[in-house]
Amino acid sequence: MNIIAKLIKSWWVILSIIPVINGFGIIHIGLKHNNPNWVLEGITYEVPWFFCILILAIYGSFSIQFILMLSITLIILLVGIIRSIWIALKLVDIYDNQEKYTFKQTQLKDTRAKTNKSSRNINDKPKNNNIKGCCFCILLIFIIFAVITIIRL
């Protein structure tokens, strides 16, 4: 794959540089590659902006709550930019090595179907429900921080 095609496939990284919508690029690539971890990560990058705008609407632009929340949000923006570039570099590696990352059918599937030793299909992946707990904890931390910031005058 040439460099132009790689840049076209990585256009979503530009969204991570734009301050208020920096999580939408990761949400887009997570939906495109069917990766719920990236979708939750993108949502996590958007939550501080929501609280920052909420505090701005309540207290104004020169309040200590807004300045504190804006500084935390800008740090998270920087983390989001770095993470987007990291994901894009990993995807470029995957685009370059398609044959390395693709799965091929083997005879094991046919053998299992014939012998009926296992009721589980080879392509079935175990479901991981720990992602919901992690996302809930991150959102809870941001909510607690926002409530404490709003309460402190």
Side-chain angles (χ1 to χ4, degrees), residues 68-152:
L68 183 62
M69 190 65 191
L70 184 64
S71 62
I72 290 172
T73 306
L74 291 176
I75 291 170
I76 292 174
L77 172 68
L78 181 64
V79 170
I81 292 170
I82 293 169
R83 181 68 175 137
S84 295
I85 293 170
W86 188 14
I87 291 171
L89 291 175
K90 287 190 178 280
L91 287 175
V92 165
D93 181 47
I94 291 172
Y95 297 149
D96 284 341
N97 301 314
Q98 283 289 337
E99 65 278 352
K100 179 180 172 184
Y101 291 105
T102 55
F103 296 104
K104 296 179 179 161
Q105 290 279 340
T106 62
Q107 295 298 329
L108 182 62
K109 182 177 180 182
D110 296 335
T111 307
R112 279 194 173 178
K114 290 177 184 176
T115 60
N116 200 10
K117 289 183 179 178
S118 174
S119 62
R120 188 175 150 212
N121 192 355
I122 293 174
N123 294 329
D124 289 345
K125 295 180 182 176
K127 294 183 179 181
N128 186 2
N129 292 331
N130 294 336
I131 297 169
K132 293 177 185 173
C134 180
C135 182
F136 177 73
C137 289
I138 292 172
L139 288 175
L140 184 65
I141 289 169
F142 281 122
I143 290 170
I144 290 172
F145 178 76
V147 167
I148 291 172
T149 304
I150 290 171
I151 291 174
R152 283 183 52 153

Side-chain angles (χ1 to χ4, degrees), residues 40-75:
L40 291 175
E41 186 176 354
I43 292 170
T44 303
Y45 292 142
E46 285 300 314
V47 169
W49 288 108
F50 171 73
F51 287 120
C52 192
I53 292 170
L54 182 70
I55 291 171
L56 176 65
I58 294 172
Y59 293 108
S61 62
F62 293 110
S63 66
I64 190 72
Q65 293 88 352
F66 175 72
I67 293 171
L68 183 62
M69 190 65 191
L70 184 64
S71 62
I72 290 172
T73 306
L74 291 176
I75 291 170

